[in-house]
């Protein structure tokens, strides 16, 4: 970088410069040398070298000129040397600073180039979720009932004993409460009423009739809870759809016709339904609906020739409980039992889904195993 003949290392006398013009020429030469040096300083390393070569305190070119040209200069030359040195210094300092900024901006630019987002690249596709099978079955049931004039309502999962039991004609100590082992909520002492996790969606029959006057036609999808030990057919949380229709002239025929329509829409036209007498405190008469076994087609014989394991050879599978609304229930909601009549049903959704899709363990609904969920996109 420094010329073989290093002029700043020598005195003006040694360089034979006695006239101001000669001094100016020397400075012009040095300035040109600096410009050449500076032009090649394109990165941080070479810039530092440039700075040290020219501005270095001990042996930088400007220091050498000060020491070798200015200090020993004759009084005739001192002035011009001083002026030229100041010009040179101003130029060198400004130039070095400018190079620094240029190099920094350049590295910013290359960083930008490196980090630029390529919008033409294919994006990251996130897998789209799907509805849980239980949600899908809720939807199917809602669609069927909505198409025949029912509307969908929902209610609280935390209930009072009044709505879950009393107003449904299930007084305290009624034996039916034993079948619905109930989760009660721990409440502070002096709480106005005990609270429980609803054991069925039937409390919404009461809440709906309290709010609306007949005609009432609603279904209530939701979660319910019973203190059952988990096995292939039991879970402490499961799902029901309650149905309720009350009007001035609803007959048992409307009731069975509606249920039959629903079952055929849900399972297909090939299935048959039947009902057997049953008992619920809030319906009278009460029935249990059965459907022909969806696995053996109602024959009771499995494809392999043996007894169908799903219906145990009966050809029928128990579906859900239902009945005509017990007149005693109307008393709780101030309907006139002499003027209105209606029916109610409570469908266990998990069971229905298991039957329709051939699932043999209720627990898979709650395990969130993707291998199961992906089968029902
Ligand atoms: N709530 C009842 C149960 O969970 C089912 C039912 C609903 C029966 C409506 C009759 C009428 O077992």
């Amino acid at each position: 970088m420094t010329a073989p003949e290093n002029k700043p290392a020598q005195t003006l006398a040694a360089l034979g410069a006695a006239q101001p013009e000669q001094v100016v020429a020397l400075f012009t030469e040095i300035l040109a040398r600096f410009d050449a040096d500076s032009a090649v300083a394109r990165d941080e390393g070479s810039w530092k070298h440039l700075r040290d070569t020219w501005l270095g305190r001990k042996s930088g070119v400007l220091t050498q000129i000060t020491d070798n040209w200015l200090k020993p200069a004759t009084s005739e030359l001192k002035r011009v040397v001083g002026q030229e040195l100041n010009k040179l210094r101003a130029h060198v300092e400004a130039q070095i600073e400018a190079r620094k900024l240029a190099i920094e901006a350049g590295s910013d630019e290359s960083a930008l180039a490196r980090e630029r987002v390529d919008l033409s690249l294919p994006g990251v596709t996130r897998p789209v979720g799907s509805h849980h099978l239980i949600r899908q079955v809720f939807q199917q049931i809602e669609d069927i009932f909505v198409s025949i004039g029912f509307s969908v309502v929902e209610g609280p999962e935390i209930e009072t004993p009044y709505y879950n039991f009393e107003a449904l004609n299930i007084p305290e100590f009624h034996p039916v409460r034993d079948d619905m082992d109930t989760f009660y909520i721990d409440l502070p002492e002096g709480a106005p009423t005990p609270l429980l996790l609803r054991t069925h969606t039937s409390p919404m029959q009461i809440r709906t009739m309290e709010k609306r006057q007949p005609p009432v036609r609603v279904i209530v999808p939701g979660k319910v809870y019973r203190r059952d030990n988990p096995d292939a057919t039991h879970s402490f949380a499961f799902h029901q759809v309650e149905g309720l229709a009350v009007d001035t002239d609803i007959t048992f025929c409307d009731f069975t016709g509606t249920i039959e329509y629903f079952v055929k829409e849900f399972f297909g036209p090939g299935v048959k339904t039947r009902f057997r007498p049953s008992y619920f405190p809030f319906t009278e008469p009460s029935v249990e609906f059965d459907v022909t076994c969806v696995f053996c087609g109602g024959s009771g014989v499995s494809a392999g020739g043996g007894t169908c394991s799903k219906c145990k050879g009966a050809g029928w599978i128990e579906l859900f409980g239902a009945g005509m609304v017990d007149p005693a229930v109307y008393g709780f909601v101030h309907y006139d039992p002499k003027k209105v009549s209606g029916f109610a049903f409570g469908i266990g959704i998990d069971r229905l889904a298991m039957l329709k899709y051939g699932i043999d363990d209720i627990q898979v609904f709650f395990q969130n195993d993707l291998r199961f969920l992906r089968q029902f996109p």
Side-chain angles (χ1 to χ4, degrees):
M1 198 172 276
T2 351
E5 191 201 5
N6 188 4
K7 293 183 179 168
Q10 302 166 48
T11 60
L12 290 176
L15 291 167
Q19 298 302 316
E21 302 82 59
Q22 288 172 300
V23 170
V24 170
L26 276 173
F27 272 101
T28 307
E29 198 186 316
I30 297 290
L31 189 102
R33 211 177 90 200
F34 168 78
D35 284 345
D37 275 5
S38 150
V40 296
R42 292 227 175 82
D43 57 33
E44 209 186 318
S46 54
W47 175 83
K48 276 189 176 149
H49 183 67
L50 176 77
R51 180 196 61 191
D52 297 344
T53 305
W54 287 86
L55 297 175
R57 258 214 213 127
K58 274 206 188 120
S59 53
V61 175
L62 294 185
T63 303
Q64 289 183 38
I65 292 177
T66 308
D67 291 347
N68 302 326
W69 295 3
L70 183 66
K71 287 184 185 161
T74 58
S75 49
E76 299 88 67
L77 289 182
K78 211 163 210 136
R79 209 176 119 83
V80 65
V81 174
Q83 276 174 358
E84 288 300 312
L85 181 56
N86 281 344
K87 274 200 269 172
L88 177 66
R89 180 183 299 282
H91 178 77
V92 166
E93 283 175 350
Q95 224 19 60
I96 282 182
E97 185 58 24
R99 293 302 311 156
K100 182 183 173 191
L101 294 177
I103 290 167
E104 278 172 1
S107 65
D108 278 0
E109 245 166 54
S110 60
L112 270 182
R114 232 181 304 119
E115 288 158 19
R116 187 172 21 237
V117 178
D118 182 351
L119 296 176
S120 71
L121 279 175
V124 179
T125 15
R126 308 211 175 270
V128 177
S130 60
H131 283 140
H132 191 280
L133 185 58
I134 293 293
R135 182 63 245 163
Q136 293 181 35
V137 170
F138 269 142
Q139 192 62 53
Q140 294 166 14
I141 296 174
E142 288 169 23
D143 289 347
I144 296 168
F145 280 104
V146 165
S147 77
I148 52 172
F150 283 72
S151 54
V152 182
V153 295
E154 285 183 75
E157 289 172 23
I158 296 176
E159 269 296 7
T160 61
Y162 176 77
Y163 286 105
N164 197 79
F165 295 123
E166 266 101 55
L168 286 161
N169 204 27
I170 315 174
E172 211 172 355
F173 308 118
H174 192 290
V176 94
R177 289 205 189 188
D178 293 347
D179 300 336
M180 295 187 178
D181 254 346
T182 309
F183 290 113
Y184 283 86
I185 305 221
D186 266 340
L187 291 175
E189 204 136 338
T193 165
L195 290 176
L196 49 82
L197 297 182
R198 66 178 176 191
T199 59
H200 50 177
T201 40
S202 302
M204 277 307 287
Q205 291 187 29
I206 306 301
R207 290 185 180 275
T208 304
M209 288 189 282
E210 278 181 347
K211 277 208 207 95
R212 303 188 186 183
Q213 288 305 304
V216 166
R217 265 187 220 88
V218 293
I219 55 166
V220 190
K223 280 203 203 74
V224 301
Y225 304 85
R226 289 181 202 178
R227 219 230 77 217
D228 278 327
N229 291 321
D231 62 23
T233 54
H234 293 86
S235 164
F236 53 81
F238 56 104
H239 305 85
Q240 287 188 334
V241 171
E242 191 80 9
L244 174 71
V246 181
D247 205 342
T248 46
D249 52 3
I250 288 189
T251 66
F252 198 84
C253 254
D254 298 321
F255 166 45
T256 55
T258 304
I259 298 296
E260 201 162 305
Y261 174 79
F262 160 69
V263 172
K264 282 193 194 309
E265 286 289 307
F266 185 79
F267 283 110
V271 300
K272 292 199 191 76
T273 52
R274 73 174 184 189
F275 56 85
R276 294 171 288 113
S278 184
Y279 172 76
F280 299 101
F282 39 94
T283 47
E284 182 60 35
S286 300
V287 304
E288 197 76 48
F289 266 92
D290 296 346
V291 62
T292 43
C293 177
V294 288
F295 298 99
C296 65
S299 66
V301 182
S302 74
T307 308
C308 174
S309 64
K310 306 291 177 175
C311 63
K312 305 202 170 63
W316 293 93
I317 287 182
E318 214 179 283
L319 260 198
F320 55 84
M324 300 301 286
V325 178
D326 192 308
V329 171
Y330 295 131
F332 287 95
V333 297
H334 311 297
Y335 278 14
D336 184 349
K338 289 198 195 74
K339 289 196 182 127
V340 296
S341 58
F343 61 84
F345 53 87
I347 310 172
I349 299 313
D350 310 78
R351 195 177 150 67
L352 216 66
M354 288 166 76
L355 283 176
K356 181 161 179 176
Y357 296 99
I359 295 159
D360 56 13
D361 185 355
I362 193 175
Q363 300 303 326
V364 295
F365 292 136
F366 306 99
Q367 287 161 346
N368 286 338
D369 187 330
L370 288 178
R371 290 168 302 181
F372 169 72
L373 298 176
R374 286 209 178 106
Q375 293 175 52
F376 306 97

